[in-house]
Amino acid sequence: MTHPAQPASQVPTVKLLIGGEFVESRSTEWRDVVNPATQQVLARVPFATPDEVDAAVAAAQQAFKTWRKTAIGQRARIFLKLQQLIREHMGELAAILTAEQGKTLPDAEGDVFRGLEVVEHAAGIGNLQLGELANNVAGGVDTYTLLQPLGVCAGITPFNFPAMIPLWMFPMAIATGNTFVLKPSEQDPMVTMRLVELALEAGVPPGVLNVVHGGEQVVNALCDHRDIKAISFVGSTRVGTHVYNRATLAGKRVQCMMGAKNHAIVMPDANKEQTLNALAGAAFGAAGQRCMAVSVAVLVGEARSWIPALVDKARTLKVSAGTEQGTDVGPLVSCAARDRVVGLIERGVADGARLELDGRNPQVAGYEQGNFVGPTIFSGVKPGMSVYDQEVFGPVLCLAEASSLDEAIDFINANPNGNGTAIFTQSGAAARKFQEDIDVGQVGINVPIPVPVPLFSFTGSRASKLGDLGPYGKQVVLFYTQTKTVTARWFDDSTVSQGVNTTISLK
């Protein structure tokens, strides 16, 4: 909910970070940050003004002049300190995250930890930002490359991973010598801001990291700003496509990780108990609000008889507030998100899918106002049904059927999205065929959510990604740097002149 002005109240306000200072916004437009399990207003976040966005970019532009010259070891040591601080504050960070986003405390710690892994990787930037050299490519001529920072970069992050995804972005951007302007989700910015505070404590200089809050107007301002050289985005396909088109037209590098419809193939030879556990966890964990959630299971052959066992497994999951002991499925992030998911369940029924397990209107004692939807399972799902064609982003698992592995692979490849996929099997031949023939970026073999560790890069494809280089890992070093190729020849007084060379050849 947004408001025209900030009323006098005891609710804390979320600050902007500009030039190393946490400042109160002068905006007249504010939004409540709401606990999705209780509807308690936790804070109020401003939609930054155009002048505030300009000030943040100007601070980053000024800081870049000195930061780009900072020794690579000095930059690395900041992230060694930051990873230590994140570990020391893990419980606090998880509690903030659960309060504003809703996921369970163990899952919130996982959110922070998966971001921490990128911070650890950034601390090794001295081994990552290396050029290449070829000696004596012609007589007395050497060629080598330098990976130099771009300048001011920006990041736009979603609500579902308010710790991990900001940590995908600003540590690697800053470690490579850039400065950064971050726009976190306006729905749950508090844990992001706590991480930013820790980054300053770790030694990030004033202006190197800046934060602005807001919605579409702030996003457009970042896309259009002439001093921003690159933008990283994670979020919906609609917004990501808009960001990519607008920012690339403004001459920027852009990477957009967008929507998904992740399928898992279940072969009849799979370990049944392990597979059912994996499907339930990947489909319903985080209330299905993951871009890598398994939202479709394709049951091959005799695996089609596993539906009752899968439904029984889903029934065992506890729906409650993320702070409650033993909770498996927390609330959706907002009332609007809950209403959208419930609406898609209703459309699934109307479209003819069979509702095997109905998670609408669960009774959650003590949290009657929470945005809860319980685990929901449809069978007989086909393309053309809304519950299949759209990314539900809720605890809804669709079941489809195939008579063979080839048919299942063709079914997945016909879907426009290519974010993540998995196969459950005990056959090495089936697994290898799957990994070779499937047209999806992240592939799991008996792993339901194959998000790579930062030694590798996130590699969504097709409609799930715009831009050729992914977040974190080796690819993001290339994204955040400009390769400069130097060809050098040195002469001394004894060098014999070769005369005028009017050809393109090196002699």
Side-chain angles (χ1 to χ4, degrees):
M1 179 182 293
T2 57
H3 301 271
Q6 180 187 12
S9 73
Q10 298 302 311
V11 177
T13 57
V14 180
K15 305 300 188 287
L16 309 174
L17 175 62
I18 300 175
E21 299 292 332
F22 291 98
V23 297
E24 192 79 55
S25 175
R26 295 178 174 271
S27 178
T28 59
E29 185 178 4
W30 295 73
R31 177 188 176 116
D32 292 339
V33 180
V34 179
N35 183 319
T38 66
Q39 308 307 323
Q40 176 192 0
V41 177
L42 303 173
R44 295 175 52 74
V45 61
F47 284 32
T49 68
D51 287 345
E52 288 166 342
V53 174
D54 287 344
V57 177
Q61 180 82 338
Q62 181 65 29
F64 179 65
K65 296 177 182 178
T66 53
W67 182 246
R68 66 184 306 229
K69 302 292 187 182
T70 302
I72 198 165
Q74 185 175 342
R75 301 200 302 264
R77 283 187 288 274
I78 289 173
F79 293 101
L80 283 171
K81 178 64 174 177
L82 179 57
Q83 65 86 24
Q84 175 190 347
L85 290 171
I86 291 173
R87 288 179 185 278
E88 291 173 353
H89 292 82
M90 181 71 76
E92 175 198 354
L93 292 164
I96 296 170
L97 198 162
T98 293
E100 63 180 341
Q101 199 276 342
K103 64 180 65 175
T104 67
L105 283 170
D107 195 28
E109 288 201 9
D111 188 329
V112 177
F113 183 79
R114 291 307 300 265
L116 171 64
E117 291 179 318
V118 180
V119 177
E120 292 172 337
H121 201 59
I125 192 63
N127 293 317
L128 300 172
Q129 197 171 348
L130 297 175
E132 299 174 312
L133 184 144
N135 181 244
N136 216 36
V137 297
V141 178
D142 302 326
T143 297
Y144 51 95
T145 58
L146 308 174
L147 301 183
Q148 296 188 319
L150 302 176
V152 181
C153 300
I156 301 166
T157 61
F159 76 84
N160 58 326
F161 285 97
M164 181 183 77
I165 294 178
L167 292 174
W168 278 11
M169 295 183 185
F170 76 78
M172 291 302 293
I174 292 171
T176 48
N178 301 283
T179 54
F180 205 77
V181 178
L182 175 64
K183 194 213 83 68
S185 171
E186 66 278 12
Q187 296 191 72
D188 48 8
M190 296 168 63
V191 71
T192 311
M193 295 307 295
R194 185 67 184 109
L195 286 166
V196 166
E197 291 175 359
L198 294 178
L200 298 191
E201 184 179 340
V204 173
V208 171
L209 175 59
N210 306 271
V211 182
V212 293
H213 306 286
E216 182 178 0
Q217 291 183 345
V218 172
V219 168
N220 288 341
L222 296 175
C223 291
D224 296 343
H225 203 293
R226 65 181 182 181
D227 291 332
I228 293 177
K229 305 303 181 186
I231 291 182
S232 299
F233 170 89
V234 177
S236 71
T237 297
R238 180 185 65 83
V239 178
T241 302
H242 169 79
V243 167
Y244 187 84
N245 290 337
R246 186 159 184 151
T248 53
L249 284 173
K252 303 181 190 335
R253 287 188 187 183
V254 187
Q255 54 177 200
C256 291
M257 305 297 114
M258 305 184 298
K261 198 71 179 180
N262 305 311
H263 298 63
I265 293 176
V266 180
M267 299 299 290
D269 69 336
N271 182 303
K272 185 175 181 179
E273 185 65 17
Q274 294 286 359
T275 300
L276 295 177
N277 286 335
L279 289 177
F284 307 126
Q289 298 174 119
R290 295 174 178 149
C291 64
M292 287 288 286
V294 171
S295 52
V296 183
V298 184
L299 308 179
V300 178
E302 292 302 314
R304 289 175 282 193
S305 66
W306 295 7
I307 293 175
L310 180 58
V311 171
D312 289 343
K313 181 71 67 175
R315 290 187 192 276
T316 67
L317 300 180
K318 178 181 177 180
V319 179
S320 189
T323 52
E324 292 295 325
Q325 186 75 22
T327 296
D328 299 298
V329 181
L332 293 163
V333 72
S334 67
C335 296
R338 178 196 59 205
D339 293 345
R340 178 181 177 276
V341 171
V342 169
L344 282 167
I345 295 172
E346 292 169 353
R347 289 171 67 179
V349 173
D351 288 344
R354 181 177 177 181
L355 188 57
E356 302 279 356
L357 180 62
D358 188 353
R360 292 173 291 182
N361 302 314
Q363 302 303 306
V364 183
Y367 299 95
E368 288 77 12
Q369 302 302 312
N371 306 322
F372 295 102
V373 176
T376 299
I377 298 176
F378 281 104
S379 64
V381 174
K382 300 176 182 178
M385 296 179 176
S386 297
V387 75
Y388 178 81
D389 292 345
Q390 296 188 37
E391 184 177 22
V392 178
F393 229 60
V396 178
L397 177 61
C398 298
L399 303 180
E401 298 181 359
S403 59
S404 67
L405 176 58
D406 285 330
E407 182 183 337
I409 290 172
D410 290 343
F411 182 81
I412 296 173
N413 286 344
N415 189 282
N417 296 289
N419 208 39
T421 189
I423 187 171
F424 293 91
T425 182
Q426 297 189 67
S427 166
R432 192 173 193 285
K433 177 178 178 59
F434 177 72
Q435 73 179 31
E436 288 295 313
D437 293 349
I438 204 71
D439 187 12
V440 175
Q442 270 100 204
V443 177
I445 297 173
N446 299 312
V447 175
I449 305 178
V451 177
V453 297
L455 298 174
F456 300 87
S457 297
F458 194 92
T459 53
S461 63
R462 295 191 283 146
S464 295
K465 178 184 177 184
L466 287 170
D468 60 337
L469 296 170
Y472 64 83
K474 295 179 181 179
Q475 289 186 19
V476 89
V477 175
L478 297 177
F479 179 78
Y480 284 131
T481 60
Q482 177 64 47
T483 301
K484 183 179 290 184
T485 306
V486 180
T487 302
R489 168 185 275 161
W490 295 95
F491 301 106
D492 58 31
D493 292 342
S494 64
T495 303
V496 178
S497 173
Q498 299 294 323
V500 177
N501 179 13
T502 59
T503 75
I504 197 172
S505 300
L506 289 169
K507 295 182 177 180

